[in-house]
Amino acid sequence: MKKKISYLWILPQLLLSTIFLLGVSYGFIKSFLGENGLSLEHYQEIMGRGDTIPSIFYTLRLSLLSSFLSLALAILFSFFLLQMGEKWKRLEGFFRIAIMMPHSLVALFFLFLLSSNGFLARLFYSFSWISSQTDFPALVYDEKGIGIILSYLWKELPFVLFFSLPLAYQVDEKAGEAARCLGATPFQAFWKITLPLSIRQYLAAFFIIFSFSFGAFDLPYLLGATSPKALSVLSYQELQRGFLQRPVALAYNGIILLFSLFLSYFYFKFLPKKKS
């Protein structure tokens, strides 16, 4: 009876997941349907456009840079947080808040902070470091996507820490403590013992945020430049043009889906296996 009740708790999640998977599968199949049945014509069409290849590289650059920076900073912060012992767990609430914060709110925050009319531009102008607010470096709506990358960092860094730090703490509490007792410095214990034994967890988190940022829409749409655009933004624009452009939009979604599945393979590969 108890098992039946526990299964009922996950029934809504299973139902929603099934609907989601059916929708994604339907859209992916439709992207391969042409006028005469199965065809790659929609993919050939978008690859023949001048904005698709720059968009792919732009999306890759944004997702790679933000993910690598999040991973590197998470490893660096982990070293300092582990020196606090169990006290680092008091910071879990801040990680949760940052992770749960809506992307639209994060975008508005960085617009307020980094735009030419934002807080930093006004601060620089008030100290006469720039002659006008328009001289402030373009950090949002810029081709380099600096504002987007910083916004991703805001979300991704706490996630990597929240995802990986508990395992690193368990390793450091046992193997790391043993290494320090044998004369290793805290940094040596972390770099040679704790990090190698927990690196798979960090890499699994890396592939999660890499996949997420590659397919994200809201931040590139709200903070991105006019050109180039992220793949998700191109897909949205094609959908906005009407029913006839829907297969083209689905082809863009197909690229995002295939790349996400590719990254999922590495996620499951690096995810630490539970001992039986």
Side-chain angles (χ1 to χ4, degrees):
M1 183 63 182
K2 290 184 178 180
K3 287 186 177 181
K4 290 182 179 180
I5 294 176
S6 63
Y7 291 147
L8 288 175
W9 283 108
I10 64 172
L11 186 60
Q13 180 63 42
L14 289 175
L15 181 61
L16 290 174
S17 299
T18 302
I19 295 173
F20 171 78
L21 290 174
L22 287 175
V24 171
S25 302
Y26 175 77
F28 186 63
I29 294 171
K30 287 281 289 184
S31 69
F32 288 98
L33 293 179
E35 294 181 359
N36 300 315
L38 289 177
S39 172
L40 293 175
E41 63 181 79
H42 303 307
Y43 289 90
Q44 292 171 347
E45 178 181 347
I46 63 174
M47 296 308 292
R49 291 171 45 164
D51 56 351
T52 299
I53 298 300
S55 176
I56 291 175
F57 283 105
Y58 177 70
T59 307
L60 274 173
R61 182 165 60 83
L62 290 179
S63 52
L64 265 177
L65 279 176
S66 61
S67 301
F68 272 122
L69 285 172
S70 297
L71 176 65
L73 288 174
I75 291 174
L76 177 64
F77 289 170
S78 293
F79 168 70
F80 292 105
L81 289 172
L82 290 175
Q83 308 312 306
M84 299 169 59
E86 287 192 355
K87 292 181 180 179
W88 75 267
K89 295 182 179 179
R90 299 175 183 176
L91 301 175
E92 279 189 309
F94 293 101
F95 299 160
R96 293 175 187 269
I97 293 173
I99 294 170
M100 294 172 61
M101 188 175 296
H103 286 131
S104 57
L105 187 60
V106 175
L108 289 174
F109 168 76
F110 278 99
L111 278 174
F112 169 77
L113 184 68
L114 302 176
S115 69
S116 58
N117 292 319
F119 174 77
L120 288 182
R122 295 181 182 184
L123 183 66
F124 277 43
Y125 177 70
S126 65
F127 281 101
S128 300
W129 293 339
I130 54 178
S131 57
S132 68
Q133 290 182 205
T134 56
D135 293 333
F136 188 75
L139 301 178
V140 292
Y141 308 131
D142 60 310
E143 295 182 359
K144 296 181 180 179
I146 296 175
I148 300 173
I149 292 172
L150 291 175
S151 300
Y152 281 145
L153 276 174
W154 178 281
K155 296 284 293 182
E156 293 173 355
L157 175 57
F159 173 79
V160 178
L161 288 170
F162 185 78
F163 188 85
S164 307
L165 203 52
L167 177 62
Y169 174 73
Q170 291 179 10
V171 173
D172 186 75
E173 191 178 28
K174 298 176 182 177
E177 181 65 26
R180 288 189 289 272
C181 289
L182 293 174
T185 64
F187 180 77
Q188 288 174 332
F190 176 79
W191 187 252
K192 295 184 178 181
I193 304 295
T194 303
L195 183 59
L197 291 177
S198 57
I199 191 62
R200 294 174 68 91
Q201 191 82 354
Y202 286 95
L203 291 175
F206 167 80
F207 285 109
I208 290 176
I209 60 176
F210 190 9
S211 177
F212 166 79
S213 56
F214 186 83
F217 166 76
D218 37 16
L219 290 177
Y221 181 74
L222 293 170
L223 300 177
T226 304
S227 179
K229 295 182 175 68
L231 282 173
S232 57
V233 178
L234 284 182
S235 174
Y236 173 76
Q237 289 182 338
E238 293 300 325
L239 281 173
Q240 291 294 99
R241 291 180 182 178
F243 180 80
L244 293 177
Q245 292 301 109
R246 184 172 297 176
V248 176
L250 293 175
Y252 280 119
N253 289 345
I255 294 175
I256 297 173
L257 176 62
L258 288 173
F259 190 77
S260 298
L261 292 175
F262 173 73
L263 292 176
S264 297
Y265 164 77
F266 290 98
Y267 163 72
F268 287 108
K269 181 177 180 181
F270 284 105
L271 190 67
K273 305 296 187 296
K274 292 184 179 180
K275 295 180 180 180
S276 56

